[in-house]
Amino acid sequence: MAGGITWHYVLKFIITGDAAVGKSSLLIRLTDQRFLANPDPTLGVEFGSKLIEIPEEGKIVKLQCWDTAGTESFRSITRSYYRGAAGCLLVYDVTSRNSFTNARSWLADVREHADPHLTCILVGNKADLVSDPAGEGGTGSGHGRHREVTTEEAEIWAKEEGLLFVEASAKSGQNVQLAFEQASRDILDKIKRGV
Ligand code: GDP
Protein backbone atom coordinates (compact mmCIF):
# COMPACT_ATOMS: atom_id res chain seq x y z
CA MET A 1 0.00 0.00 0.00
CA ALA A 2 2.44 2.67 -1.17
CA GLY A 3 1.68 5.87 0.74
CA GLY A 4 -1.86 4.77 1.58
CA ILE A 5 -3.41 4.14 4.94
CA THR A 6 -3.10 0.56 5.93
CA TRP A 7 -5.22 -1.40 8.38
CA HIS A 8 -4.73 -4.08 10.96
CA TYR A 9 -7.98 -5.97 10.57
CA VAL A 10 -10.65 -6.42 7.95
CA LEU A 11 -14.01 -7.10 9.56
CA LYS A 12 -17.05 -8.18 7.64
CA PHE A 13 -20.32 -6.75 8.91
CA ILE A 14 -23.84 -7.54 7.86
CA ILE A 15 -26.79 -5.21 8.36
CA THR A 16 -30.06 -6.98 8.82
CA GLY A 17 -33.63 -6.29 9.89
CA ASP A 18 -37.00 -5.50 8.33
CA ALA A 19 -37.45 -3.50 5.15
CA ALA A 20 -37.53 0.27 5.65
CA VAL A 21 -35.93 0.34 9.10
CA GLY A 22 -33.02 2.27 7.56
CA LYS A 23 -30.33 -0.33 6.83
CA SER A 24 -29.20 1.28 3.57
CA SER A 25 -29.38 4.69 5.19
CA LEU A 26 -27.11 3.60 8.06
CA LEU A 27 -24.61 2.24 5.57
CA ILE A 28 -24.70 5.43 3.49
CA ARG A 29 -24.31 7.51 6.65
CA LEU A 30 -21.31 5.47 7.73
CA THR A 31 -19.48 5.48 4.42
CA ASP A 32 -20.63 8.76 2.84
CA GLN A 33 -21.71 10.97 5.76
CA ARG A 34 -24.97 11.79 4.05
CA PHE A 35 -28.67 10.97 4.25
CA LEU A 36 -31.15 10.42 1.45
CA ALA A 37 -34.79 11.12 2.26
CA ASN A 38 -35.93 8.94 -0.63
CA PRO A 39 -33.37 6.26 -1.31
CA ASP A 40 -34.02 3.52 -3.84
CA PRO A 41 -35.75 0.64 -2.10
CA THR A 42 -33.25 -2.01 -1.23
CA LEU A 43 -33.47 -4.64 -3.90
CA GLY A 44 -30.68 -6.94 -2.97
CA VAL A 45 -27.43 -6.47 -1.21
CA GLU A 46 -25.35 -3.33 -1.19
CA PHE A 47 -21.81 -3.01 -0.08
CA GLY A 48 -19.81 -0.28 1.63
CA SER A 49 -16.36 -0.05 3.08
CA LYS A 50 -14.89 2.27 5.70
CA LEU A 51 -11.73 2.58 7.78
CA ILE A 52 -12.25 3.30 11.45
CA GLU A 53 -9.76 3.72 14.24
CA ILE A 54 -10.03 2.01 17.61
CA PRO A 55 -7.64 4.34 19.45
CA GLU A 56 -7.36 2.45 22.74
CA GLU A 57 -6.24 -0.62 20.81
CA GLY A 58 -4.06 1.44 18.47
CA LYS A 59 -5.69 -0.36 15.59
CA ILE A 60 -7.19 0.64 12.26
CA VAL A 61 -10.05 -1.56 11.19
CA LYS A 62 -11.41 -1.87 7.69
CA LEU A 63 -15.15 -2.46 7.84
CA GLN A 64 -16.68 -4.29 4.93
CA CYS A 65 -20.40 -3.90 5.30
CA TRP A 66 -23.11 -5.78 3.51
CA ASP A 67 -26.59 -4.37 3.58
CA THR A 68 -28.97 -7.28 3.29
CA ALA A 69 -32.42 -6.86 1.80
CA GLY A 70 -35.16 -6.64 4.39
CA THR A 71 -37.89 -8.65 2.78
CA GLU A 72 -38.72 -12.27 3.43
CA SER A 73 -38.44 -13.08 -0.24
CA PHE A 74 -34.75 -12.22 -0.23
CA ARG A 75 -33.81 -14.30 2.76
CA SER A 76 -32.49 -17.14 0.67
CA ILE A 77 -30.20 -14.74 -1.16
CA THR A 78 -28.93 -12.95 1.88
CA ARG A 79 -28.15 -16.07 3.87
CA SER A 80 -24.94 -16.66 1.94
CA TYR A 81 -23.78 -13.23 3.07
CA TYR A 82 -23.89 -14.26 6.71
CA ARG A 83 -20.93 -16.50 6.10
CA GLY A 84 -17.64 -15.09 7.32
CA ALA A 85 -19.26 -12.14 9.08
CA ALA A 86 -17.62 -11.00 12.32
CA GLY A 87 -20.25 -8.41 13.16
CA CYS A 88 -23.94 -7.80 12.66
CA LEU A 89 -26.11 -4.71 12.99
CA LEU A 90 -29.59 -5.95 13.82
CA VAL A 91 -31.72 -2.94 13.00
CA TYR A 92 -35.25 -1.99 13.98
CA ASP A 93 -37.12 1.30 13.81
CA VAL A 94 -37.95 2.85 17.21
CA THR A 95 -41.28 4.02 15.74
CA SER A 96 -42.24 0.52 14.58
CA ARG A 97 -43.22 -2.13 17.11
CA ASN A 98 -43.48 -4.60 14.28
CA SER A 99 -39.86 -4.14 13.23
CA PHE A 100 -38.78 -4.77 16.84
CA THR A 101 -40.89 -7.92 17.08
CA ASN A 102 -39.43 -9.13 13.80
CA ALA A 103 -35.89 -8.53 15.05
CA ARG A 104 -36.32 -11.81 16.94
CA SER A 105 -36.69 -13.79 13.76
CA TRP A 106 -33.84 -11.91 12.09
CA LEU A 107 -31.68 -12.79 15.07
CA ALA A 108 -32.74 -16.42 14.82
CA ASP A 109 -31.79 -16.33 11.15
CA VAL A 110 -28.39 -14.85 11.94
CA ARG A 111 -27.77 -17.40 14.67
CA GLU A 112 -28.68 -20.22 12.34
CA HIS A 113 -26.39 -19.14 9.53
CA ALA A 114 -23.62 -17.01 10.95
CA ASP A 115 -20.56 -17.85 13.01
CA PRO A 116 -21.62 -18.55 16.62
CA HIS A 117 -19.05 -16.01 17.88
CA LEU A 118 -20.49 -13.23 15.75
CA THR A 119 -20.84 -9.94 17.60
CA CYS A 120 -24.30 -8.52 17.19
CA ILE A 121 -25.41 -5.00 18.03
CA LEU A 122 -29.10 -4.17 18.22
CA VAL A 123 -29.65 -0.75 16.64
CA GLY A 124 -32.85 1.19 17.31
CA ASN A 125 -32.80 3.49 14.29
CA LYS A 126 -34.74 6.71 13.56
CA ALA A 127 -34.09 8.07 17.04
CA ASP A 128 -34.35 11.57 15.51
CA LEU A 129 -38.10 11.04 15.11
CA VAL A 130 -38.63 10.56 18.81
CA SER A 131 -36.08 12.97 20.23
CA ASP A 132 -37.99 15.85 18.68
CA PRO A 133 -41.18 16.44 20.67
CA ALA A 134 -42.62 18.67 17.94
CA GLY A 135 -42.65 15.66 15.65
CA GLU A 136 -40.94 17.57 12.86
CA GLY A 137 -38.60 14.72 12.15
CA GLY A 138 -38.64 15.14 8.41
CA THR A 139 -39.18 12.37 5.93
CA GLY A 140 -39.79 9.11 7.65
CA SER A 141 -40.75 5.66 6.55
CA GLY A 142 -44.48 6.16 6.54
CA HIS A 143 -44.85 4.87 10.09
CA GLY A 144 -46.37 7.02 12.79
CA ARG A 145 -43.75 9.25 14.27
CA HIS A 146 -44.16 8.39 17.88
CA ARG A 147 -42.00 5.94 19.76
CA GLU A 148 -43.37 2.40 19.78
CA VAL A 149 -40.37 0.70 21.40
CA THR A 150 -38.95 2.01 24.66
CA THR A 151 -35.22 2.21 25.22
CA GLU A 152 -35.63 0.13 28.37
CA GLU A 153 -37.37 -2.84 26.76
CA ALA A 154 -34.85 -2.93 23.93
CA GLU A 155 -32.03 -2.79 26.46
CA ILE A 156 -33.53 -5.66 28.44
CA TRP A 157 -34.03 -7.83 25.37
CA ALA A 158 -30.50 -7.07 24.12
CA LYS A 159 -29.08 -8.09 27.47
CA GLU A 160 -31.07 -11.32 27.51
CA GLU A 161 -29.78 -12.19 24.06
CA GLY A 162 -26.19 -11.09 24.67
CA LEU A 163 -26.41 -8.25 22.15
CA LEU A 164 -24.82 -4.83 22.35
CA PHE A 165 -27.39 -2.07 22.02
CA VAL A 166 -27.61 1.52 20.85
CA GLU A 167 -30.26 3.89 19.57
CA ALA A 168 -29.14 5.78 16.48
CA SER A 169 -30.24 7.93 13.60
CA ALA A 170 -29.06 7.60 10.03
CA LYS A 171 -30.69 10.96 9.44
CA SER A 172 -28.81 12.97 12.07
CA GLY A 173 -25.81 10.65 12.16
CA GLN A 174 -26.25 10.16 15.92
CA ASN A 175 -24.46 7.03 17.14
CA VAL A 176 -24.01 5.52 13.69
CA GLN A 177 -20.23 5.31 13.70
CA LEU A 178 -20.40 4.51 17.41
CA ALA A 179 -22.48 1.40 16.70
CA PHE A 180 -19.82 0.06 14.35
CA GLU A 181 -17.05 1.07 16.75
CA GLN A 182 -18.64 -0.66 19.72
CA ALA A 183 -19.11 -3.84 17.75
CA SER A 184 -15.56 -3.62 16.38
CA ARG A 185 -14.14 -3.21 19.89
CA ASP A 186 -15.99 -6.30 20.99
CA ILE A 187 -14.69 -8.25 17.98
CA LEU A 188 -11.08 -7.12 18.59
CA ASP A 189 -11.50 -8.14 22.20
CA LYS A 190 -12.63 -11.61 21.13
CA ILE A 191 -9.68 -11.85 18.75
CA LYS A 192 -7.30 -10.92 21.60
CA ARG A 193 -8.85 -13.54 23.84
CA GLY A 194 -8.57 -16.08 21.05
CA VAL A 195 -12.34 -16.63 20.83
P1 GDP B 1 -33.91 -0.25 4.42
O1 GDP B 1 -35.01 -0.83 3.56
O2 GDP B 1 -33.90 -0.90 5.78
O3 GDP B 1 -32.57 -0.26 3.77
O4 GDP B 1 -34.33 1.28 4.73
P2 GDP B 1 -33.88 2.62 3.96
O5 GDP B 1 -32.48 2.97 4.33
O6 GDP B 1 -34.20 2.48 2.52
O7 GDP B 1 -34.83 3.69 4.67
C1 GDP B 1 -36.26 3.59 4.61
C2 GDP B 1 -36.87 4.98 4.79
O8 GDP B 1 -36.61 5.45 6.12
C3 GDP B 1 -36.31 6.04 3.86
O9 GDP B 1 -37.35 6.94 3.51
C4 GDP B 1 -35.26 6.75 4.69
O10 GDP B 1 -35.04 8.08 4.26
C5 GDP B 1 -35.90 6.69 6.08
N1 GDP B 1 -34.92 6.67 7.15
C6 GDP B 1 -33.86 5.82 7.28
N2 GDP B 1 -33.16 6.08 8.40
C7 GDP B 1 -33.80 7.11 9.01
C8 GDP B 1 -33.56 7.85 10.22
O11 GDP B 1 -32.62 7.62 10.99
N3 GDP B 1 -34.46 8.84 10.50
C9 GDP B 1 -35.52 9.14 9.71
N4 GDP B 1 -36.31 10.14 10.08
N5 GDP B 1 -35.78 8.47 8.56
C10 GDP B 1 -34.93 7.46 8.22
Side-chain angles (χ1 to χ4, degrees), residues 143-175:
H143 297 296
R145 295 196 184 157
H146 58 283
R147 181 187 280 278
E148 290 189 359
V149 183
T150 67
T151 307
E152 292 72 25
E153 68 183 307
E155 243 163 25
I156 289 168
W157 182 62
K159 208 169 188 178
E160 271 169 21
E161 295 289 350
L163 313 173
L164 302 170
F165 169 64
V166 74
E167 286 188 351
S169 166
K171 184 172 183 183
S172 72
Q174 177 202 344
N175 287 349

Side-chain angles (χ1 to χ4, degrees), residues 17-152:
D18 270 7
V21 293
K23 299 180 301 299
S24 304
S25 301
L26 288 166
L27 182 54
I28 293 167
R29 169 59 73 189
L30 176 78
T31 57
D32 264 9
Q33 290 87 43
R34 62 196 172 101
F35 175 74
L36 305 172
N38 295 301
D40 285 341
T42 308
L43 283 178
V45 176
E46 289 163 38
F47 176 76
S49 172
K50 162 119 179 153
L51 292 180
I52 61 163
E53 194 185 356
I54 308 292
E56 63 277 26
E57 300 278 347
K59 301 288 185 210
I60 309 261
V61 170
K62 182 174 188 166
L63 303 176
Q64 293 189 329
C65 305
W66 297 88
D67 165 22
T68 57
T71 56
E72 287 288 333
S73 52
F74 285 106
R75 283 200 174 191
S76 57
I77 300 173
T78 59
R79 276 186 176 150
S80 61
Y81 288 97
Y82 292 157
R83 247 176 274 133
C88 173
L89 261 70
L90 176 59
V91 186
Y92 69 96
D93 170 348
V94 294
T95 70
S96 163
R97 159 74 37 194
N98 208 30
S99 72
F100 182 65
T101 305
N102 289 342
R104 289 179 188 275
S105 70
W106 286 109
L107 180 61
D109 213 47
V110 169
R111 294 231 161 108
E112 193 183 336
H113 297 279
D115 185 291
H117 299 299
L118 177 104
T119 290
C120 205
I121 182 162
L122 180 67
V123 178
N125 190 38
K126 308 196 187 181
D128 60 283
L129 293 177
V130 298
S131 61
D132 173 7
E136 264 310 306
T139 309
S141 62
H143 297 296
R145 295 196 184 157
H146 58 283
R147 181 187 280 278
E148 290 189 359
V149 183
T150 67
T151 307
E152 292 72 25

